[in-house]
Amino acid sequence: DRLAMLWTDDVKRDIHEEGTSYLTFLDWRSQTRTFADMAICSRGNPVSLTDANEPERVMGEGVSANLFPVLGVTPILGRSFSHDEERRRERVVVLSHGLWQRRFGGSRDAIGKTLEIDGQAFQVVGVMPAGFYFPTKDVQLWKPATLVGLTLTPAVQDLIWTDRFNDWWRVVGRLNPTATFEGAQAEMTAIGQRLAAVYPTTD
């Protein structure tokens, strides 16, 4: 009851519950007083598991290292990845309970093993509890947000991180213990209005 999704809302274009840019996320997180913390995840990142087992297409997510602490959930096996691993773009991955069962037979020895994702070797560092999913039920793995888009052209990669008006990211926040959703909505509306005045759209 402390979690909230944060969306971009553009009434003039009748756009609601839209994603947001990384730069706007940074502004939201630095200016808020009602949220204890905010985290980001990509808006779907389908990947192919291409190791020696049967190839499999699954939905993955690129997420910030603080996502699981913000959600208040910890892996049942291993750990989540660190801010340093995210910053260094290390190929580490946290698996869903179902994917762990399918690819590693539920073995505790899965931690430290590799999983080939889109032809690249990732080290398995954690397994999430059965029944956990975020942001949708079909997501099977989570990797550092900084690895999102590495297969795209340099120009598109740059837009993911520097374009104020892209909608690449979803944002989730945890309210402070004394904050209310009504207060958070009022604060975020005010922050959004300030940002719209500083960064008006071009059309």
Side-chain angles (χ1 to χ4, degrees), residues 35 47 76 137 158 166 190 201:
F35 285 93
V47 298
I76 59 166
K137 289 186 176 181
D158 186 61
N166 77 51
T201 55

Side-chain angles (χ1 to χ4, degrees), residues 54-97:
E54 183 178 350
E56 184 179 1
R57 188 74 168 168
V58 302
M59 183 62 70
E61 285 286 351
V63 303
S64 54
N66 66 331
L67 175 70
F68 299 121
V70 166
L71 294 178
V73 64
T74 57
I76 59 166
L77 191 64
R79 60 177 179 83
S80 56
F81 52 83
S82 68
H83 289 284
D84 284 341
E85 288 171 324
E86 180 186 10
R87 177 179 54 81
R88 293 193 298 261
R89 295 184 175 182
E90 293 190 18
R91 292 190 176 94
V92 289
V93 63
V94 176
L95 307 182
S96 71
H97 192 274

Side-chain angles (χ1 to χ4, degrees), residues 168-193:
W168 195 274
W169 300 101
R170 294 171 173 156
V171 180
V172 60
R174 175 172 287 275
L175 289 174
N176 282 312
T178 59
T180 65
F181 283 98
E182 293 78 12
Q185 180 63 75
E187 179 192 61
M188 294 308 300
T189 297
I191 292 173
Q193 289 171 346

